[in-house]
Amino acid sequence: MSIRYHVESGVATLELARPEKKNALTLAMYSALAGHLESAARDDAVRAVLIAGQPGIFTAGNDLHDFLQSPDLTADAPQIRFMLTLAGMEKPVVAAVTGAAVGIGVTMLLHCDLVYLADDARLSMPFVSLGLVPEFASSLLLPLWAGQARASEKILLGLPFGAEEALAMGLASAVLPAAGVLAHARAMAARFNALPPGAVRESKRLLRRAQA
């Protein structure tokens, strides 16, 4: 199974678990991610969602071989369903990132509420070099946080950047030693158990509206 899902102490954890392929995302993985997010949204026992990869790798992005088998991006395509579900989550979403986050691996972080990066994290958005354009509002959100010039460098040239630069750009909540990132992210996600869910939900809505 390439996506592992479990709920513990109010936190629903989605773990990207395809390390032999550097967690490259297949259509089946997108479908599983969307389904688990939908389950977490319906489950009253879930107060926050945590997305994590494997030690040393968040995700290498799309599995291009798999992606080319079904290139049509219809409204019900698995990757579209996943991103729409993630962007529409009313519950807080926390990300724990170690190692590489490529393409969609960066884009999904822009739709999370709290992002914790390992000091070894390496992010890149190589869309243009692959003959593609940025996905799911990344060309809108990145300039809002990082500024037009810096966003242009990352998107147009696809230049990789490290955790400290990501923090300075506003993409991350904190940078931590790699060994402690997951535990810290899980602890922060668990803090939502002590907060009124209605107030959290409405505050997240207001924060997201500010980006519109």
Side-chain angles (χ1 to χ4, degrees), residues 27 30 70 72-82:
L27 297 179
Y30 276 119
S70 301
D72 294 333
L73 294 178
T74 58
D76 58 352
Q79 59 271 56
I80 301 295
R81 179 183 162 211
F82 164 64

Side-chain angles (χ1 to χ4, degrees), residues 2 25 83 120 141 157 165 182:
S2 298
L25 297 173
M83 286 305 303
D120 69 350
L141 296 175
L157 296 178
E165 186 174 4
L182 182 58

Side-chain angles (χ1 to χ4, degrees), residues 7 15-16 25 28 36 40 43 52 63 80-81 91 106 109 111 114 118 120 134 142-144 146 156 172 192 196:
V7 178
E15 180 186 353
L16 310 180
L25 297 173
H36 291 319
D43 189 347
D63 183 314
I80 301 295
R81 179 183 162 211
K91 296 177 181 181
V106 178
L109 300 181
H111 294 276
L114 301 172
D120 69 350
L142 193 63
L144 281 177
L156 296 180
F192 289 103

Side-chain angles (χ1 to χ4, degrees), residues 4 16-23 54 57:
R4 297 175 185 155
L16 310 180
R18 196 189 180 206
E20 73 281 3
K21 294 293 185 179
K22 298 184 178 180
N23 287 345
Q54 300 292 298
I57 179 68

Side-chain angles (χ1 to χ4, degrees), residues 67-178:
F67 183 82
L68 290 173
Q69 305 306 307
S70 301
D72 294 333
L73 294 178
T74 58
D76 58 352
Q79 59 271 56
I80 301 295
R81 179 183 162 211
F82 164 64
M83 286 305 303
L84 289 177
T85 305
L86 177 61
M89 283 293 292
E90 294 185 341
K91 296 177 181 181
V93 181
V94 182
V97 179
T98 63
V102 180
I104 187 67
V106 178
T107 298
M108 73 171 75
L109 300 181
L110 299 174
H111 294 276
C112 293
D113 301 293
L114 301 172
V115 175
Y116 297 100
L117 300 179
D119 50 15
D120 69 350
R122 193 72 172 164
L123 289 68
S124 62
M125 307 175 78
F127 303 113
V128 172
S129 64
L130 296 172
L132 304 172
V133 295
E135 59 198 355
F136 284 101
S138 56
S139 58
L140 168 68
L141 296 175
L142 193 63
L144 281 177
W145 297 343
Q148 187 70 31
R150 216 170 208 179
S152 295
E153 185 179 64
K154 306 311 178 191
I155 290 176
L156 296 180
L157 296 178
L159 296 184
F161 52 105
E164 291 295 344
E165 186 174 4
L167 181 65
M169 290 166 63
L171 272 68
S173 307
V175 175
L176 302 116

